Amino acid sequence: RIPRFIQKAGRAGCHKVFIGLENINAAALKSTGKKQNHVEQYRDMLQDWRRAGVLITAGYIVGFPNDTKESVLKDIEVIKKELPIDLLEFFMLTPLPGSEDHQTLVKQGVSLETDMNSYDLEHPCVKHPLMSPAAWRECYDAAWHSYYSDKNVEQLFRRRFADGNSVRRLQEQVMWFYGSILFEKLHPLQSGILRRKSRSERRPSFKKENILVFYARYFLEIATTVVGLLKLHLRLEKIRKRIQNDPQGKDYQDEATKPPCKKTTIEDDKLVLPVSAA
């Protein structure tokens, strides 16, 4: 909405942007009160960020009242095909203490998770109307695996290469995002290259582990993560080199990156499609 904001951000040195996509299901967005999220406008806006050379990360929430594993995976397929996002990170719908959602549920007497450690956006903290806690978690995991499949990663790399931007930079980000899920079983925002663990830092209700048992398991976890990340790196490296050696790589275009057939404008917070590009 601010004239030339994206272009100015790129020129000022902005190299990564986070977009609160939240969801692409209109009913889900309405239920959260996010009336400002116009899905129809996303593609043009995302293409502007790409032209400015900025890597795009978007957040997606899993667990709205109408969500099922099938519906979530279907929506992710739409995103993969139609929205030129580089990185997508998933969160579970969580009534964080202090938020309006949490206050509303407390007033309604809804049963909520009592263990505050679970309010990390990765664990179910309230009953879902259509999914059990196990099914909800399965849906969340499936969303990560769907978006970061080899097929879609190749598409992401091809878009990046055709834009004239660094594929290696995106490759490093995919390593971090997907590697955290695969090997550390943690959201990338809670993870890193290696997890630092202290034998003395446990809840009071848990006994301190035997030193040999603790460090044997700890070093096994580190070894497993390092080997797994190396394999993932080699896999991504193979995809990147194949794309960069493709003579037609610079000409790549798909549904998400082709120029829009209509120019969008905003008037009074309503989407208007006035004139075709022709």
Side-chain angles (χ1 to χ4, degrees):
R1 293 170 185 256
I2 302 174
R4 301 185 306 284
F5 173 80
I6 294 176
Q7 292 84 347
K8 289 178 180 179
R11 290 173 60 191
C14 175
H15 57 83
K16 188 176 182 180
V17 65
F18 178 85
I19 306 293
L21 184 65
E22 317 299 17
N23 204 286
I24 62 168
N25 185 290
L29 290 173
K30 186 177 180 181
S31 71
T32 63
K34 293 184 178 294
K35 298 178 181 178
Q36 77 276 15
N37 287 32
H38 294 289
V39 175
E40 302 92 339
Q41 299 164 9
Y42 277 133
R43 187 187 296 171
D44 289 357
M45 181 263 290
L46 294 171
Q47 288 183 354
D48 280 346
W49 281 112
R50 296 183 74 87
R51 281 191 287 270
V54 178
L55 190 144
I56 303 166
T57 303
Y60 196 88
I61 297 175
V62 176
F64 286 105
N66 294 328
D67 279 351
T68 63
K69 181 180 177 181
E70 292 72 24
S71 69
V72 168
L73 292 180
K74 182 179 179 181
D75 288 344
I76 292 172
E77 288 303 315
V78 173
I79 293 173
K80 285 161 35 174
K81 180 181 178 182
E82 299 187 13
L83 295 182
I85 294 168
D86 295 307
L87 299 162
L88 192 59
E89 55 183 308
F90 300 93
F91 305 90
M92 284 194 178
L93 185 65
T94 304
L96 293 171
S99 68
E100 182 180 353
D101 287 345
H102 186 268
Q103 293 176 33
T104 300
L105 293 172
V106 169
K107 290 176 182 178
Q108 293 174 350
V110 175
S111 177
L112 296 170
E113 174 60 57
T114 58
D115 184 356
M116 300 304 290
N117 290 283
S118 294
Y119 287 81
D120 58 2
L121 308 182
E122 297 179 63
H123 294 86
C125 294
V126 65
K127 184 178 180 181
H128 191 277
L130 301 177
M131 294 186 285
S132 67
W136 192 352
R137 178 69 198 197
E138 183 181 331
C139 175
Y140 171 81
D141 290 338
W144 283 100
H145 298 316
S146 173
Y147 192 79
Y148 291 98
S149 64
D150 283 2
K151 181 179 179 181
N152 193 52
V153 166
E154 179 167 344
Q155 178 176 249
L156 300 178
F157 284 8
R158 286 193 178 279
R159 289 173 182 169
R160 188 85 176 160
F161 185 65
D163 286 345
N165 295 316
S166 170
V167 180
R168 188 179 291 279
R169 184 158 173 271
L170 177 56
Q171 177 183 339
E172 292 169 353
Q173 296 286 301
V174 171
M175 276 278 294
W176 166 33
F177 271 54
Y178 196 38
S180 298
I181 297 298
L182 284 177
F183 310 117
E184 295 291 351
K185 312 299 180 185
L186 282 174
H187 192 282
L189 298 185
Q190 296 199 74
S191 186
I193 298 174
L194 295 173
R195 291 180 67 186
R196 180 184 175 192
K197 292 184 178 182
S198 173
R199 179 169 158 264
S200 62
E201 294 178 355
R202 302 200 79 188
R203 296 194 206 180
S205 57
F206 288 88
K207 291 172 57 178
K208 185 182 290 188
E209 282 189 301
N210 176 279
I211 189 169
L212 294 177
V213 173
F214 175 83
Y215 282 106
R217 188 179 68 250
Y218 183 34
F219 287 119
L220 179 61
E221 288 175 356
I222 291 176
T224 302
T225 298
V226 170
V227 171
L229 285 173
L230 179 59
K231 289 181 179 179
L232 179 60
H233 168 73
L234 294 175
R235 207 165 83 209
L236 297 177
E237 188 76 357
K238 183 178 179 181
I239 296 172
R240 181 182 65 82
K241 288 182 177 179
R242 182 169 66 246
I243 292 168
Q244 292 184 332
N245 291 330
D246 184 355
Q248 273 105 34
K250 289 291 185 182
D251 300 323
Y252 178 80
Q253 195 174 84
D254 57 29
E255 189 70 23
T257 58
K258 72 180 182 181
C261 60
K262 292 181 180 293
K263 184 174 177 61
T264 61
T265 62
I266 301 172
E267 294 180 4
D268 300 326
D269 203 29
K270 294 180 180 179
L271 185 68
V272 181
L273 303 173
V275 188
S276 69

